[in-house]
Amino acid sequence: MAESEEEVDVLVQRVVKDITNAFKRNPNIDEIGVIPCPEARCNRSPIVLVENKLGVESWCVKFLLPYVHNKLLLYRQRKHWLDREALVDITCTLLLLNPDFTTAWNVRKELLQCGVLNPEKDLYLGQLALTKFPKSPETWIHRRWVLQQILDQFLAVSHNKTQEQQGEAEQPNADSSRQLSDHLTRTLHQEMRVCSDAACRYPSNYNAWSHRIWVLQHMAKGNGKVFHDELSSTRLWVSMHVSDHSGFHYRQFLLKELITEHYQTSASATINGSSQHWSSTLPSSGPHQHSCSQTNGELSGAEAANEDDRQLSFTTVLQLFQQEIELCSDLIQSFPGHETLWSHRRHVFYLLNQWRREHQCSSRGDNNSIHLNDCDPGMSEVSPQSYAGREESVNGQNHASEPMELDRVSLPNPHDSKRLKRGVLLPGTPTLTSEHSFVNSILDSCCNPEQRRFAVAYKKWLDTVTGLQS
Amino acid sequence: MKLYSLSIHFKGATKANLLKAAYDLSSFSFFQRSSVQEFMTFTSALIVERTSQGSRASVKEQEYLCHVYVRNDNLSAVVIADTEYPQRVCFTLLDKVLEEFSRQVDSIDWPSGNPETTNYKALDIHLSKYQNPREADAMTKVQAELDETKIILHNTMESLLERGEKLDDLVAKSEHLGNQSKAFYKTARKQNSCCEIM
């Protein structure tokens, strides 16, 4: 099908227009694709719009793409002028066909910067491109640039507001700052969805998961609740994608962040009431009736409360680890032979132990160090922490929870006892012993050769870890 | 962890006769779905034709695993899954579906039936339910009782073919594939990307 240059020109202009019009007609387009169609059918547009899906018939791509690509390059080289509208349309077409064409994204950056384009438009365009090209590195990179623009705007606005408020003794404009922060929250959640969709479309989609991490690092700094929520909301996903290494790595990141939060909370708890923020993000593992409504600066009686906060968050983090190991065990048993699950277990167990050791070191320097291989949750003599109010059954005896106050009174050195308590493990906390017994139970019952291999390797690794830590 | 298609065939003397099929194509891009469906039907039928009576096999093709059970009475079922989905649960599903089908549909109708005339409605529900292997199969935690050594494993579709037989020819001749799918297969082949329509 030999097309003359003019014919191609006309065809392409028409296609670009059809695409633009399709978006105008239907603002809810949520997916793009190429329709396998080797030949054009009598003068019909190659652009097909069905149920919110935008398709381009494959026959026209070989005309369309080189043509628009060329046009944009000529524009860049200042050999050919394109007005802003044309630029928007052409880059849109280009990026839907090839989102790794950096130049096109850069042209859009310029348009954004001079106010011609709304950043939301680029987020939408990127989202569409990702439905067909879920890994596209340039799309993710551009997305981060756009988000950074949005964040900068937000910061600028709230900074201005504070200045205004300081300048005049006016009531703070609570409404609009609420609006801004709602907007940010919505953007955050949208990003989580985009990442999740892309992760579904391509296995172990490193770029999507990395982006997800970036978003949390930049848009959810210090917000423990978001990390907790992400941990719960990805739980089902990873259970249905047991060989998706990137998905599990994301959970390792979340756990690490929660540990860091815990440290920061502990460190600053006595300085100001920032613990209040942390305790408000606790998951509902039991009734925490806790007097944590401390505002900045109130130190009287805050000491005790902050101490409780630290204990609370310690317990919480420990529980998270425990749950993660349990999830891992569950999946390993249900779906034998996936290396990802064993790899995840290593990471989690290692993190847990590192954190526990550091925590023990920082809270009291000396003896009574709980060696990992000594620790048997079943033989603990000290009453277990039960801030959740539940009664732990240890060695068949029920130990009721003991309020902190009593301990402080009964023992000669209250601080020692608290430190001691902090060093004690909750029953059920993974230890070297329990890990060995888990591996052995797998080896005893499994007949999947891969599973066997991974279990043996894990056993060896456990021994190495003991070596490093004793 | 996904199941894409579940189909029931009768293994005739020379070819497989499709009796009923269910598909879950939600994870494929919208415009590829009809071609994907056709290729899955084509693949399932081919596998049944090339699997001996009274045997079970798993055939690997790219990121898909096709599990087949051809019974001694030539009633057969194929499920196409991804590589994460536990094999054991697939064979449980195939057994179950064939048992139920043979109770509901008279064997006289197997050699010549087709999806429109065959009165068996539960296939879609089974496919949907088994998307979550643990919900569907409470026994998943118990390690396999199924004798896995009896399941033949093929690493490619090609290994099912006779000497000299080419997949391209079979595609061209297939009645399960429309012209568009055939044409697309040809172009994909030329570009050396195999059946990347999937």
Side-chain angles (χ1 to χ4, degrees):
Chain A
M1 190 160 47
E3 306 262 350
S4 71
E5 233 183 271
E6 298 87 49
E7 282 172 347
V8 173
D9 203 58
V10 166
L11 168 70
V12 171
Q13 305 241 23
R14 187 181 150 193
V15 172
V16 174
K17 210 170 190 189
D18 287 346
I19 292 178
T20 313
N21 288 338
F23 281 110
K24 286 205 186 112
R25 278 205 320 267
N26 186 346
N28 294 321
I29 293 177
D30 60 15
E31 188 183 321
I32 56 160
V34 173
I35 303 172
C37 184
E39 275 160 23
R41 284 167 300 176
C42 21
N43 230 15
R44 276 199 344 212
S45 173
I47 305 303
V48 174
L49 187 53
V50 176
E51 286 176 40
N52 294 336
K53 321 289 180 193
L54 181 67
V56 176
E57 288 180 355
S58 57
W59 62 265
C60 85
V61 176
K62 61 180 179 287
F63 300 114
L64 188 56
L65 187 50
Y67 185 90
V68 283
H69 184 151
N70 221 33
K71 240 187 169 179
L72 193 69
L73 285 180
L74 289 173
Y75 164 78
R76 257 308 206 227
Q77 293 160 358
R78 301 197 199 292
K79 291 181 186 159
H80 178 79
W81 171 251
L82 285 169
D83 66 40
R84 285 170 173 185
E85 205 181 296
L87 274 176
V88 171
D89 293 344
I90 283 194
T91 50
C92 178
T93 303
L94 255 173
L95 290 166
L96 290 176
L97 294 172
N98 177 16
D100 281 321
F101 186 31
T102 320
T103 305
W105 286 121
N106 287 344
V107 168
R108 288 184 81 95
K109 286 185 179 72
E110 289 171 4
L111 292 168
L112 244 151
Q113 278 171 329
C114 56
V116 170
L117 264 184
N118 187 335
E120 305 289 332
K121 278 238 149 56
D122 270 28
L123 290 180
Y124 176 57
L125 182 60
Q127 190 175 333
L128 283 182
L130 290 168
T131 60
K132 185 163 189 298
F133 305 94
K135 288 189 299 174
S136 167
E138 292 302 316
T139 306
W140 293 109
I141 290 169
H142 181 78
R143 204 173 182 82
R144 289 191 276 279
W145 183 88
V146 172
L147 288 169
Q148 192 62 65
Q149 300 292 303
I150 294 178
L151 278 174
D152 291 345
Q153 272 174 21
F154 174 78
L155 286 172
V157 169
S158 30
H159 182 65
N160 286 340
K161 281 211 178 319
T162 344
Q163 295 211 311
E164 281 169 23
Q165 285 160 27
Q166 286 167 359
E168 319 145 9
E170 291 276 321
Q171 60 274 45
N173 198 344
D175 265 350
S176 70
S177 33
R178 168 70 54 79
Q179 261 172 27
L180 282 167
S181 109
D182 281 351
H183 180 67
L184 256 195
T185 309
R186 270 198 311 275
T187 308
L188 176 76
H189 285 123
Q190 184 184 267
E191 286 311 296
M192 297 294 107
R193 266 196 309 276
V194 169
C195 292
S196 183
D197 286 346
C200 287
R201 290 177 202 270
Y202 191 84
S204 277
N205 190 340
Y206 176 80
N207 296 342
W209 290 102
S210 301
H211 181 82
R212 199 164 178 161
I213 290 175
W214 182 95
V215 170
L216 288 191
Q217 285 169 331
H218 289 75
M219 296 178 71
K221 202 88 196 96
N223 187 343
K225 180 176 192 304
V226 170
F227 290 94
H228 273 300
D229 288 347
E230 279 294 286
L231 213 50
S232 14
S233 70
T234 52
R235 199 190 160 91
L236 179 60
W237 196 94
V238 296
S239 305
M240 297 295 284
H241 295 84
V242 292
S243 58
D244 195 310
H245 201 92
S246 302
F248 283 97
H249 171 261
Y250 182 66
R251 293 182 75 81
Q252 291 152 26
F253 159 75
L254 294 172
L255 287 170
K256 267 194 225 135
E257 281 300 308
L258 287 166
I259 295 175
T260 315
E261 280 301 309
H262 161 76
Y263 271 127
Q264 288 178 354
T265 312
S266 308
S268 58
T270 40
I271 301 168
N272 54 37
S274 64
S275 56
Q276 151 197 8
H277 158 77
W278 175 250
S279 39
S280 66
T281 67
L282 291 170
S284 54
S285 53
H288 295 293
Q289 291 316 310
H290 194 65
S291 57
C292 62
S293 43
Q294 305 287 333
T295 50
N296 283 356
E298 283 177 39
L299 290 181
S300 63
E303 259 276 357
N306 291 330
E307 192 52 44
D308 289 350
D309 281 337
R310 255 179 292 186
Q311 280 295 39
L312 219 49
S313 56
F314 170 80
T315 313
T316 310
V317 175
L318 211 50
Q319 278 171 353
L320 287 176
F321 272 104
Q322 193 177 316
Q323 283 163 14
E324 197 67 18
I325 291 275
E326 273 166 16
L327 173 66
C328 208
S329 304
D330 183 34
L331 295 175
I332 285 176
Q333 283 160 342
S334 300
F335 306 111
H338 289 280
E339 188 164 29
T340 307
L341 297 173
W342 290 97
S343 173
H344 185 60
R345 199 182 185 90
R346 290 188 199 197
H347 275 100
V348 176
F349 186 63
Y350 189 79
L351 264 178
L352 169 62
N353 288 322
Q354 249 201 334
W355 172 71
R356 261 200 325 231
R357 285 172 66 234
E358 285 171 18
H359 196 267
Q360 282 160 13
C361 291
S362 65
S363 48
R364 46 127 189 74
D366 61 351
N367 60 353
N368 205 25
S369 55
I370 313 290
H371 285 297
L372 296 166
N373 37 7
D374 289 350
C375 248
D376 192 331
M379 64 179 218
S380 150
E381 286 174 276
V382 185
S383 85
Q385 305 300 320
S386 13
Y387 278 85
R390 41 165 218 264
E391 299 194 328
E392 314 285 2
S393 173
V394 175
N395 282 341
Q397 292 165 7
N398 281 337
H399 291 247
S401 58
E402 290 169 70
M404 286 286 281
E405 291 69 38
L406 275 177
D407 283 346
R408 245 182 275 145
V409 164
S410 58
L411 292 172
N413 188 342
H415 289 294
D416 272 345
S417 81
K418 275 186 266 184
R419 285 187 207 122
L420 261 176
K421 276 202 170 187
R422 224 175 290 144
V424 166
L425 302 168
L426 292 179
T429 305
T431 62
L432 213 53
T433 314
S434 67
E435 284 301 287
H436 271 291
S437 73
F438 171 74
V439 175
N440 289 330
S441 76
I442 295 287
L443 285 170
D444 287 341
S445 61
C446 93
C447 41
N448 179 315
E450 304 250 281
Q451 180 89 319
R452 179 159 289 274
R453 197 161 49 90
F454 300 141
V456 167
Y458 185 69
K459 208 170 154 74
K460 279 203 194 131
W461 179 82
L462 281 174
D463 296 333
T464 323
V465 166
T466 328
L468 287 174
Q469 291 185 332
S470 57
Chain B
M1 194 167 300
K2 287 205 181 67
L3 296 178
Y4 301 112
S5 86
L6 180 57
S7 53
I8 301 178
H9 310 248
F10 178 76
K11 181 180 166 70
T14 49
K15 65 185 203 63
N17 183 32
L18 176 68
L19 292 167
K20 209 70 172 173
Y23 305 92
D24 183 342
L25 304 170
S26 53
S27 57
F28 293 98
S29 70
F30 182 81
F31 294 104
Q32 291 179 338
R33 285 172 196 173
S34 62
S35 276
V36 169
Q37 181 168 317
E38 288 178 1
F39 269 99
M40 288 194 165
T41 313
F42 163 76
T43 304
S44 301
L46 181 60
I47 288 177
V48 168
E49 282 164 21
R50 300 315 162 92
T51 301
S52 4
Q53 210 179 32
S55 69
R56 292 178 173 86
S58 296
V59 185
K60 189 167 184 344
E61 179 66 31
Q62 295 164 58
E63 341 68 277
Y64 305 96
L65 261 180
C66 312
H67 308 282
V68 59
Y69 175 31
V70 176
R71 295 193 334 183
N72 283 316
D73 58 5
N74 285 322
L75 192 63
S76 321
V78 181
V79 63
I80 300 185
D82 68 4
T83 49
E84 274 182 359
Y85 198 97
Q87 186 197 42
R88 203 191 58 75
V89 180
C90 285
F91 283 105
T92 305
L93 172 60
L94 295 179
D95 282 353
K96 182 177 176 161
V97 157
L98 287 176
E99 217 217 320
E100 193 182 67
F101 184 89
S102 58
R103 274 184 278 121
Q104 289 183 18
V105 178
D106 205 61
S107 55
I108 201 99
D109 296 323
W110 298 351
S112 54
N114 63 55
E116 285 79 46
T117 60
T118 304
N119 188 16
Y120 176 65
K121 301 200 166 83
L123 213 51
D124 283 295
I125 297 172
H126 286 311
L127 182 64
S128 162
K129 186 154 175 255
Y130 271 75
Q131 288 296 355
N132 185 338
R134 291 196 288 180
E135 255 180 53
D137 180 12
M139 297 267 287
T140 304
K141 275 211 163 143
V142 177
Q143 292 305 309
E145 306 120 11
L146 192 70
D147 189 354
E148 279 167 11
T149 57
K150 293 228 187 82
I151 299 173
I152 308 161
L153 182 62
H154 295 271
N155 278 319
T156 58
M157 282 285 285
E158 255 84 29
S159 64
L160 285 174
L161 306 181
E162 313 272 319
R163 251 164 84 97
E165 245 189 334
K166 295 251 162 48
L167 201 54
D168 292 9
D169 297 333
L170 295 172
V171 167
K173 285 191 299 190
S174 170
E175 60 196 31
H176 294 293
L177 298 170
N179 286 329
Q180 213 179 60
S181 297
K182 287 185 187 175
F184 197 73
Y185 175 84
K186 255 203 200 146
T187 5
R189 270 305 220 197
K190 273 203 208 124
Q191 291 165 0
N192 219 8
S193 53
C194 198
C195 284
E196 269 211 25
I197 35 130
M198 288 235 203

